[in-house]
Amino acid sequence: MNDTTHIKDTSQLTSGDFTESPEPFALFAAWFAEAAASEPNDPDAMALATVDADGLPDVRMVLMKGYDTQGFVFYSHIASAKGRELAANPRAALLFHWKSLRRQVRVRGPVAPVTDAEAEAYFATRPKQAQIGAWASRQSQPLESRFAFEQAIAKEAAKYIVHSVPRPPGWSGWRIAPMQFEFWHDRPFRLHDRIQFRRTAPDAPWTKTRLYP
């Protein structure tokens, strides 16, 4: 095919486009800001992939509750499936997909627990009903019925009618420290743009590679 006129996008890449970015954190911040302004629901939603004891991948959607150059933070219970899997194999992958922008970002790296102070500070910002739910839910364990769960919620709620809700034991968070980013932007006819950043250690410089779609 010699004539490429019909595969050109009307929004052509420029020298200021993401493919020119020298490092990934500022680029992620710019993309996330755009997603926060355009996504109708949960721009902070991300797929979290872990591996179980048999080496079988496990993936679910979670909410990113903070990010900086140290990594991406999410919260749950350490007795949940994700908590048990991360305890056994503290590495994970994340995927952000912003459909309104036709973009996605992949992140891979080691995972470490957040500090108790971080977990306490975030738990205090949750709505009271969500705090109570954290006490009532034995996350990822078998549940007899929805009614049984509602009874557990009511029982916990009665304890904190006038009192603040403390953080439950075992309820905490994790931070994935990126060792690899991939930024993907949709282009016509599946001729997408992909940029990968990699580093060998948290304090090592980033290398950047453009990938075929």
Side-chain angles (χ1 to χ4, degrees), residues 49-115:
T50 55
V51 177
D52 69 13
D54 297 320
L56 188 65
D58 206 357
V59 66
R60 76 289 284 164
M61 299 301 296
V62 300
L63 295 179
M64 177 187 69
K65 291 302 180 180
Y67 75 92
D68 56 23
T69 56
Q70 301 303 306
F72 296 82
V73 175
F74 55 95
Y75 291 90
S76 187
H77 200 286
I78 62 173
S80 65
K82 70 179 79 66
R84 297 193 304 270
E85 291 166 2
L86 288 171
N89 185 357
R91 293 176 290 181
L94 305 175
L95 170 66
F96 296 86
H97 177 222
W98 298 307
K99 191 173 183 179
S100 66
L101 297 174
R102 307 178 75 87
R103 292 174 177 168
Q104 66 180 13
V105 180
R106 299 167 63 192
V107 179
R108 302 171 74 198
V111 179
V114 301
T115 65

Side-chain angles (χ1 to χ4, degrees), residues 1 4 6-9 13 184-194 210-213:
M1 182 174 64
T4 60
H6 298 297
I7 67 172
K8 292 181 179 179
D9 193 355
L13 296 177
W184 177 99
H185 182 59
D186 176 85
R187 302 284 277 175
F189 304 102
R190 301 188 181 277
L191 306 178
H192 313 307
D193 285 305
R194 295 172 63 191
R210 186 163 191 151
L211 304 176
Y212 277 103

Side-chain angles (χ1 to χ4, degrees), residues 5-211:
T5 302
H6 298 297
I7 67 172
K8 292 181 179 179
D9 193 355
T10 55
S11 56
Q12 296 183 10
L13 296 177
T14 67
S15 60
D17 198 87
F18 81 99
T19 58
E20 300 297 321
S21 298
E23 63 87 27
F25 289 111
L27 178 55
F28 179 86
W31 277 26
F32 183 68
E34 291 184 54
S38 66
E39 284 292 293
N41 293 299
D42 300 325
D44 54 350
M46 59 188 187
L48 168 68
T50 55
V51 177
D52 69 13
D54 297 320
L56 188 65
D58 206 357
V59 66
R60 76 289 284 164
M61 299 301 296
V62 300
L63 295 179
M64 177 187 69
K65 291 302 180 180
Y67 75 92
D68 56 23
T69 56
Q70 301 303 306
F72 296 82
V73 175
F74 55 95
Y75 291 90
S76 187
H77 200 286
I78 62 173
S80 65
K82 70 179 79 66
R84 297 193 304 270
E85 291 166 2
L86 288 171
N89 185 357
R91 293 176 290 181
L94 305 175
L95 170 66
F96 296 86
H97 177 222
W98 298 307
K99 191 173 183 179
S100 66
L101 297 174
R102 307 178 75 87
R103 292 174 177 168
Q104 66 180 13
V105 180
R106 299 167 63 192
V107 179
R108 302 171 74 198
V111 179
V114 301
T115 65
D116 286 343
E118 288 176 290
E120 291 284 355
Y122 171 67
F123 190 80
T125 69
R126 301 186 88 197
K128 191 170 185 177
Q129 282 298 107
Q131 294 175 333
I132 291 169
W135 279 93
S137 176
R138 294 185 294 173
Q139 193 170 352
S140 300
Q141 301 303 310
L143 174 61
E144 174 188 348
S145 65
R146 180 71 191 186
F147 179 66
F149 186 35
E150 291 172 350
Q151 283 185 311
I153 293 171
K155 181 180 178 181
E156 295 297 336
K159 298 178 183 178
Y160 304 108
I161 294 176
V162 296
H163 300 292
S164 59
V165 184
R167 179 170 64 100
W171 192 97
S172 191
W174 295 264
R175 176 178 285 104
I176 179 170
M179 301 297 286
Q180 180 177 318
F181 278 88
E182 184 187 310
F183 294 83
W184 177 99
H185 182 59
D186 176 85
R187 302 284 277 175
F189 304 102
R190 301 188 181 277
L191 306 178
H192 313 307
D193 285 305
R194 295 172 63 191
I195 298 295
Q196 183 185 83
F197 293 88
R198 299 176 69 98
R199 60 183 176 181
T200 56
D203 58 349
W206 291 100
T207 61
K208 184 177 71 170
T209 306
R210 186 163 191 151
L211 304 176

